[in-house]
Structures are given as structure tokens and as C-alpha cells.
Amino acid sequence: MPHPNPNLRRAPVQQRSADRLARILDACAGLLDETGYEQLSTRDVALRAEVPIGSVYRFFSNKRALVEALALRNLELYAERITARLDSVPAGDWRGAIDAVLDEYLEMKRTVPGFALVDFGPPSPAEGPADDANRRLAGRLAELLAGHLGRDPGPELLRAILVSVEAADALLQLAFRTDPEGDPAIVAETRTLVLAYLAQILD
């Protein structure tokens, strides 16, 4: 189930309703890869999910709310997959932890439907601070990394992670514009930059 979010008109209570919501989000993700955000329609999502159009509107007021819910589901999936990767990283190895964060993002970018266009926020500009996908992502990563590394999840770590997320986001967008699989040289430079910056805080 997706992370609780204000975009849902109602949260599913029964498993059948939760399964229907998951099918709607899966359909949205697949169509984003095929048509892009501008051409996405709630009617096409309903057809792909094999549900009545009313089922889509039961959960979402419009396609932006639908895509935002997909973005939040992506964030939950990303957090789960990073947590699994961190199980094999020694607690004190912050560089290994950052590698896990980057490697999982690259893996999802290449393989998860809809993620290339909508990772943790809609492709259209954010509507305000509360809608800032990178701040939401940085907060989640700071929480995960602080827990794994046994560090204080305070403002200094959060600020450092936010700066790293913003820098990596810009560079990885460039990498995937250059090469659909992510230009290896730009990805490597991104990793070097993030590790060098975080060394000032985490070493």
C-alpha cells in the first residue's frame, strides 16, 4: 500500500480496495513510460487497470494527485530496498551506505515502471515547500542513514543529505539525458562528488 498521503480522497480499508488501488498505480506507472505525463489521462489509467473510471476518482481528484501518490509509493519502495541493501553494509561504513543509496536509485531508474519520469515527485514544478520531493527524500534518507550509522539525525546531517540529494539529482538527470541507461562517466563523477562532500561531515 502507498504511504499515507493527502492526495488520496479515501484510504483503502479492505484488501480488495487496496488491490484495486495498487492496480491503478501500476497502470499509471506503465502509461507514464508509454505516453509521458502530459498525455496521461485518468480514463486511460482506468482502462489499463481494468476498473471503472469512478474507481480512479474514488481515490484521486485528478491525474496530478494520482501521480503524486505514485511518487510516494516509489519513495516507500526505495526506502524498503535501501534498507535491504544496508543489511549487508557494516554499520560504520558510511561510504558503503552511500553507494547503496546511489546504486538502488540507479537500479530503480532503469527497471521500475514510471520511475524514469516520476521518481519521488511529479514532473511538473512543485507547488510549494510541502510539495518539495527532494526535501521529502532527504528527510527519509537522513533517517535511514542515521539509524544505520548510529549518528545524530539532527539538522547538520539533514542539511548535508539535502545538499547531496540536490546535487545528485541534477547530475543524474544529466546522466540519463545523455544515455537512457545513465552515462557511466557522469554517474561515476556524481558518486565522487557526493562522497567527497559527505566526507567533511561523516569522516
Side-chain angles (χ1 to χ4, degrees):
M1 289 174 58
H3 190 270
N5 69 84
N7 303 299
L8 276 180
R9 281 180 154 173
R10 66 173 65 181
V13 177
Q14 298 180 337
Q15 186 60 47
R16 183 174 63 179
S17 184
D19 291 344
R20 180 171 290 186
L21 174 58
R23 289 208 312 276
I24 290 169
L25 292 174
D26 289 344
C28 176
L31 285 167
L32 281 167
D33 283 340
E34 296 171 21
T35 69
Y37 179 73
E38 293 302 324
Q39 299 302 315
L40 182 72
S41 75
T42 52
R43 182 170 297 281
D44 287 342
V45 169
L47 287 171
R48 175 68 61 89
E50 298 182 339
V51 301
I53 186 67
S55 293
V56 176
Y57 286 115
R58 187 171 296 121
F59 292 116
F60 305 106
S61 57
N62 53 42
K63 77 172 182 181
R64 182 181 177 85
L66 172 57
V67 170
E68 285 175 341
L70 176 64
L72 286 174
R73 187 176 75 165
N74 286 341
L75 179 58
E76 289 306 299
L77 177 61
Y78 184 52
E80 290 171 9
R81 290 170 67 156
I82 287 173
T83 299
R85 281 182 183 259
L86 290 177
D87 284 344
S88 61
V89 177
D93 181 10
W94 71 263
R95 287 177 175 81
I98 297 303
D99 279 338
V101 167
L102 287 169
D103 289 343
E104 188 53 56
Y105 180 81
L106 293 168
E107 177 68 15
M108 289 181 67
K109 192 85 168 172
R110 294 165 179 150
T111 63
V112 173
F115 194 85
L117 186 59
V118 175
D119 46 20
F120 309 116
S124 51
E127 294 181 339
D131 195 33
D132 190 325
N134 280 348
R135 285 187 180 275
R136 188 164 56 237
L137 172 60
R140 198 62 186 276
L141 288 177
E143 174 188 319
L144 289 171
L145 291 169
H148 184 75
L149 300 174
R151 291 179 176 266
D152 176 19
E156 183 183 23
L157 179 62
L158 178 58
R159 184 172 56 250
I161 297 298
L162 177 59
V163 170
S164 300
V165 165
E166 290 285 355
D169 182 35
L171 289 169
L172 292 176
Q173 283 187 43
L174 173 62
F176 280 89
R177 284 200 307 271
T178 305
D179 180 335
E181 289 297 306
D183 182 273
I186 297 175
V187 169
E189 293 289 347
T190 303
R191 195 181 301 270
T192 298
L193 183 149
V194 170
L195 291 173
Y197 168 69
L198 288 176
Q200 302 173 83
I201 294 95
L202 297 179
D203 265 347

